[in-house]
Amino acid sequence: MTPDRADVLIVGGGLAGSLVALAVAARDASRRITVVDSGAPQEGQSDSHTWSFHDTDLSPDAARWIAPAVAHRWPGQEVRFPSYARRLRAGYASLTSQSLRAAVEALPMVTRLPGRATAIGAAGAQLHDGSRIDAPCVIDATGRVPRGYLTLGWQKFVGVERQTARPHGRALPIIMDATVDQRDGYRFVYTLPFAPDRILIEDTRYSDGPALDHASFEAGIEDYARAQGWDGTEARREHGVLPIAMAFDAEAFWADAAAGPVPVGMRAGLFHPVTGYSLPLAARAADIIAAAMLESPVSTASVMAAMRRFALETADRQRFLRLLSRMLFRGAAPPARRKVLERFYRLPEPLIERFYAGDLTRADQARILLGRPPIPIRDALPCLREAPLLEDLRRKRAT
Ligand SMILES: Cc1cc2nc3c(=O)[nH]c(=O)nc-3n(C[C@H](O)[C@H](O)[C@H](O)COP(=O)(O)OP(=O)(O)OC[C@H]3O[C@@H](n4cnc5c(N)ncnc54)[C@H](O)[C@@H]3O)c2cc1C
């Protein structure tokens, strides 16, 4: 098969597109997969990424096929708040842009091409140089969040990977060090120790607007590194503005997407509504797609049907997480957001693990809300219903 024809065409070779390639290749080595990637980051994102996940986010199957792409692993993680610090037992792991790309390029059935699609349809894509690639199954993994169907808050961050002059002394990731002073909403620092003298330091803020003031974040990182005594030089940096979902009109999104290519990843609104992370859902979606390809002749329509089912079930399961986002962004004044998280991380570890994996049970949900609710009832009441935000979205799409 030449590059202008494939069994599966994946437009966008970032996180979600690459995971689809890994999952499909793991189940059926006979599929010819073409991945086209423009190499251009999304608006507000950098093209250098570290994508992390908790071991408990993935099924054993997904853990197996993602393993070749993993660049770093740790046997636990920590959180720190003004009133306590806690070690969490779940292992943590990171992929990097390089490790993910290398894992995909090592697959003999995958051709990865540089190129920007100017039009993507259910039967193929038109590229910027005038060429065209046709395939019976086309996946849209271009990463553009469907904003018209979502009401959003933002998690913004700048990360600097620092080569430290002396060992930095950290062995485990601190996924939330909220002992830092609070600015621009809820602020914490996230650190990943890649080597004894190399550490990623990310200044992160949950704020109402998407504007990223780089200078302020850089100053935050510098203050943090100085306070830890981490002299050194910058080796790499990344930044992101991640969507936090307060409402999602998933039914309308999937109805409008029906005749096109199969959306995955951020393009399909498949991310954790409270953290903006998409890796766990991208891995599940990749498994769904790989399984659908074994069940019936590979076509955009059959994969679309399976993805739509999965995505609508996911959106339904995420109702409670969107409520938490509304409470965080609309119910809690910015200075109160840290208290909400501080209380949350005192909950039992299995619940925290299910929160990250997006698998909270009804009992977990009750546990989060009952007893001492995260915000006062009178502030929570106006946030309870998603319907007014959905109405608003529908009105805006109609005009
Ligand atoms: C810096 C950063 C760090 C993050 N860290 C984490 C994390 O630790 N864990 C986690 O779960 N989530 C993380 N996220 C959030 C989320 O998981 C990522 O944004 C993730 O990359 C989304 O995956 P995606 O495949 O949907 O989009 P992307 O990874 O952005 O991939 C889209 C790809 O499509 C390509 N593309 C776009 N348009 C075209 C076109 N027309 N033609 C061809 N190619 C095109 C782009 O070049 C890009 O490579 C992070 C986000 C950022 C920005």
Side-chain angles (χ1 to χ4, degrees):
M1 222 169 248
T2 55
D4 62 352
R5 255 209 93 68
D7 295 325
V8 184
L9 169 63
I10 302 172
V11 183
L15 180 64
S18 300
L19 295 191
V20 170
L22 289 173
V24 172
R27 295 230 186 167
D28 183 353
S30 70
R31 299 274 176 236
R32 311 308 304 170
I33 304 168
T34 296
V35 179
V36 184
D37 191 82
S38 64
Q42 302 303 312
E43 190 189 342
Q45 323 284 25
S46 57
D47 55 357
S48 176
H49 278 86
T50 315
W51 292 288
S52 302
F53 61 96
H54 309 262
D55 286 351
T56 44
D57 289 342
L58 301 184
S59 68
D61 240 13
R64 232 183 337 272
W65 57 251
I66 215 172
V70 172
H72 306 279
R73 283 187 189 282
W74 298 270
Q77 49 191 292
E78 291 176 30
V79 290
R80 294 183 182 179
F81 289 95
S83 62
Y84 70 95
R86 184 175 188 189
R87 179 178 166 157
L88 301 168
R89 64 184 182 182
Y92 204 62
S94 297
L95 323 180
T96 62
S97 301
Q98 295 75 15
S99 68
L100 182 57
R101 187 174 170 158
V104 170
E105 286 179 345
L107 297 169
M109 67 295 282
V110 177
T111 308
R112 198 176 189 282
L113 300 172
R116 183 170 56 80
T118 50
I120 315 172
Q126 195 73 40
L127 302 193
H128 69 290
D129 61 3
S131 63
R132 188 180 161 81
I133 303 178
D134 291 312
C137 178
V138 183
I139 311 278
D140 179 353
T142 51
R144 210 159 24 88
V145 176
R147 288 200 191 184
Y149 301 86
L150 288 149
T151 306
L152 299 172
W154 306 97
Q155 191 207 150
K156 306 181 293 196
F157 58 88
V158 173
V160 168
E161 193 174 318
R162 181 170 282 222
Q163 179 74 46
T164 56
R166 286 173 298 283
H168 49 67
R170 292 262 170 99
L172 292 179
I174 299 185
I175 58 167
M176 210 170 257
D177 184 346
T179 58
V180 294
D181 61 306
Q182 297 297 290
R183 302 173 200 164
D184 193 13
Y186 169 52
R187 172 173 179 248
F188 63 91
V189 174
Y190 169 94
T191 48
L192 293 180
F194 291 140
D197 60 352
R198 202 172 259 252
I199 189 159
L200 175 69
I201 312 163
E202 263 178 24
D203 188 320
T204 306
R205 302 175 193 178
Y206 271 71
S207 44
D208 298 319
L212 184 62
D213 173 1
H214 281 261
S216 159
F217 283 73
E218 282 155 18
I221 293 167
E222 202 40 57
D223 286 351
Y224 190 82
R226 199 174 316 111
Q228 314 299 322
W230 293 340
D231 295 336
T233 51
E234 179 175 326
R236 187 186 66 88
R237 70 168 52 200
E238 62 184 63
H239 65 265
V241 180
L242 305 189
I244 302 299
M246 291 183 272
F248 181 26
D249 196 346
E251 288 283 354
F253 171 76
W254 284 94
D256 292 349
V262 184
V264 295
M266 301 307 256
R267 185 75 202 99
L270 281 168
F271 56 87
H272 192 295
V274 186
T275 67
Y277 274 21
S278 74
L279 192 148
L281 281 174
R284 281 186 212 184
D287 261 336
I288 301 274
I289 289 174
M293 285 185 187
L294 289 181
E295 277 164 20
S296 42
V298 178
S299 72
T300 301
S302 63
V303 173
M304 178 73 92
M307 268 302 290
R308 181 177 179 279
R309 224 173 12 252
F310 164 72
L312 289 178
E313 278 164 21
T314 300
D316 197 48
R317 233 186 9 258
Q318 288 181 332
R319 270 175 208 281
F320 179 77
L321 294 172
R322 293 194 295 275
L323 166 65
L324 290 184
S325 291
R326 292 197 295 281
M327 289 169 90
L328 200 57
F329 278 86
R330 301 270 163 103
R337 289 178 191 164
R338 175 163 66 178
K339 285 211 181 72
V340 174
L341 275 300
E342 190 161 17
R343 181 179 172 278
F344 173 78
Y345 279 100
R346 286 189 189 275
L347 292 168
E349 281 190 57
L351 183 156
I352 295 171
E353 289 162 7
R354 290 192 289 272
F355 165 79
Y356 277 116
D359 284 334
L360 287 174
T361 62
R362 292 242 177 250
D364 293 336
Q365 298 178 9
R367 181 83 198 255
I368 291 170
L369 292 183
L370 295 178
R372 275 170 47 217
I375 57 172
I377 294 290
R378 74 168 184 281
D379 296 336
L381 283 179
C383 316
L384 289 184
R385 292 179 59 241
E386 187 174 3
L389 297 179
L390 295 176
E391 269 312 307
D392 213 37
L393 287 167
R394 278 177 204 136
R395 251 196 316 275
K396 282 188 189 140
R397 282 200 307 276
T399 55

